[in-house]
Structure formats: structure tokens, C-alpha cells
Amino acid sequence: MTASNRVAFVTGAARGLGLAAATRFLADGWRVAMLDILGDTLRAAAKALNRPDAILTLEADVSDPAAVQRAVQQAKDHFGRIDALVNNAGIAIFKPILEVTLEDWQRVMAVNLTGPFLMTQAVAPIMRDQGGGAIVNITSISGLRASTLRVAYGTSKAGLAHLTKQQAAELGEYGIRVNAVAPGPVDTAMALAVHTPEIRADYHDHMPLNRYGLESELANAIFFLSSDQASFVTGQVLCVDGGFDSTGIGLPTLRGERKNS
């Protein structure tokens, strides 16, 4: 197939990493279904991309089974196929563990874990019937390394990493590859809102590349896993994190940033 015939379905596409991923697919000639619960923001973002011939906007909550089925059917009816699904929609509630309510927990799990389950259940039969496809789940370094204030968020992302492996194990026979991207510290709107200068300094202390990532760098990894260049890659969680997950303590000392008095 030519790139112009291929279709990507990106959730959480109104801003941030989802918008960056949609933009990356469009840049390579793909058509894109962009879904988000923030309808006005989504439509404004799509308008700014100035590709009405290649974009379908869909307003829906990924934790709502009926809404997911309707949105996926709309994308199938509009484009005729779905070649890549990017399960990016997610939320974070940062609170001390003893302050997290059951409602907090259930909402984070519904969006971050149930959402990708529902989306994949809806899209996979389409991919199966057309001969295959690729699914990329957006997990997080918080699902691999525990930290404070993330009991719901981190647990949801850890579950999504394992869901990725389960989906890969069972969907491979249909030619459907399933992988995950685990972003580390990235300059997204969420990070800018919650990462204080002290938190940013702590991250830099554990990152060999010594900087936050860019949304475009994450989008490149998502595109790679969705493309034929990753045709023999499935069931993997790719950390795109500047080396954060791989590295222990001691980097500031090695860099000479801290001197013994």
C-alpha cells in the first residue's frame, strides 16, 4: 500500500503527544482519525493542521463502550480501513496515596487502561479482516518505576504495559502487531503544569541525555512502531526517556556538578 491509502486512528489527539503523533502520520502521507473528549480543542487543532481531506475528527470518551464503537465505525465508514491505532488518551491525578479516592482510582483506570482495551477490541476486527495492522499503546515510565503521587496513574500504566503483551500474544495470528511506547520526562502541557523546578532537577539527575524529550521525538517512535519498518516487532515496551529507566544514581557526581566540600 502507498502511504496515502493508510489510516491512523489516534486517541487523545487534541493536544500534546496525540496531536504530535497525528501530525507525524500526516507528514508521511497517512490519513488520520483524531479522537478526543475535548471536542472544541480537537476541532481547532485539526483546523490548524489544514488537511481537511485527510482528517476526521471524533469527539468521544474512550472509557464509554458505546461511544468507542460509534467512533470506530465512523472512522471505518469514512476511510474504509484502519491501519494503525495509537491508544494515547489518558489522564493523571497526582495525590498522596492516602488522599486518593475510589472515584479518582476508578476514573484513571477507566481512561488509561479500560480505554485502550475498548479501543483495541473495536479496531482489531477491522484490522484482522483487512489482513493486519499495528497498535501502539502509550504507557509511561511511571508504569515501570514507582514514584510518589502516582498510585493510580502508575498502576494504570503498568497494567497497560502488560495489556500490550497480552494483545500482542493473541492478535499476532491476525497480522496485528501490538507495542507500547513509554515516555519519560517530556515537555508536554501536563509536565509543564506539574513539574516544579525541583522536580525537573531531580529528573535531570537521573537522565544520561540530561534534558527533557520533545513531543516530536515521541511521535517518531510511535510512527516507527506503526510502520512497516517495525514489521517484526511486537509485544515490546519501548522506553523513549533519555535513558531515565536504565540509569541509577550518581550522574551529577560523574558530571562534576557536585563537588565535595
Side-chain angles (χ1 to χ4, degrees):
M1 293 187 64
T2 63
S4 62
N5 292 327
R6 297 196 175 191
V7 177
F9 194 126
V10 183
T11 70
R15 58 190 180 185
L17 181 54
L19 179 56
T23 302
R24 178 65 182 83
F25 281 107
L26 289 167
D28 212 65
W30 290 50
R31 296 170 292 166
V32 183
M34 299 172 62
L35 179 145
D36 206 289
I37 196 171
L38 303 173
D40 290 342
T41 305
L42 174 67
R43 287 182 284 273
K47 183 177 180 180
L49 291 172
N50 197 29
R51 290 290 307 279
D53 58 318
I55 294 174
L56 172 68
T57 57
L58 301 161
E59 183 177 350
D61 182 342
V62 295
S63 69
D64 181 337
V68 165
Q69 288 291 337
R70 285 194 299 270
V72 170
Q73 188 60 52
Q74 283 180 268
K76 171 65 163 54
D77 291 344
H78 185 80
F79 290 123
R81 60 187 299 112
I82 300 173
D83 299 281
L85 168 65
V86 180
N87 283 313
N88 169 71
I91 62 170
I93 297 175
F94 296 124
K95 290 182 180 180
I97 189 169
L98 297 183
E99 296 179 15
V100 175
T101 67
L102 177 60
E103 182 180 13
D104 293 335
W105 174 272
Q106 290 177 330
R107 182 56 183 163
V108 171
M109 293 297 166
V111 176
N112 294 2
L113 188 54
T114 301
F117 168 78
L118 293 173
M119 287 297 308
T120 300
Q121 294 292 101
V123 170
I126 297 171
M127 291 182 172
R128 175 198 61 199
D129 293 346
Q130 71 192 22
I135 297 169
V136 180
N137 295 322
I138 307 304
T139 59
S140 173
I141 291 300
S142 293
L144 302 174
R145 298 181 65 166
S147 182
T148 57
L149 311 181
R150 289 164 170 78
V151 65
Y153 180 75
T155 303
S156 72
K157 293 299 189 176
L160 183 56
H162 190 74
L163 178 62
T164 298
K165 296 178 183 293
Q166 291 288 158
Q167 291 169 334
E170 297 195 52
L171 296 176
E173 66 177 296
Y174 304 122
I176 301 171
R177 298 181 297 102
V178 188
N179 293 287
V181 167
V186 179
D187 271 326
T188 61
M190 181 186 295
L192 293 172
V194 303
H195 287 193
T196 64
E198 292 78 16
I199 289 174
R200 294 181 76 93
D202 287 342
Y203 273 120
H204 282 287
D205 285 354
H206 292 82
M207 296 172 66
L209 293 187
N210 200 24
R211 66 174 176 85
Y212 273 44
L214 303 175
E215 291 174 346
S216 60
E217 293 174 310
L218 271 294
N220 284 335
I222 293 167
F223 181 79
F224 165 71
L225 290 173
S226 302
S227 74
D228 289 342
Q229 293 185 23
S231 58
F232 200 52
V233 181
T234 197
Q236 303 303 305
V237 178
L238 175 62
C239 296
V240 185
D241 65 350
F244 177 73
D245 181 57
S246 68
T247 308
I249 63 173
L251 284 177
T253 300
L254 288 172
R255 294 174 183 144
E257 296 171 6
R258 293 178 182 170
K259 305 293 185 181
N260 293 327
S261 57

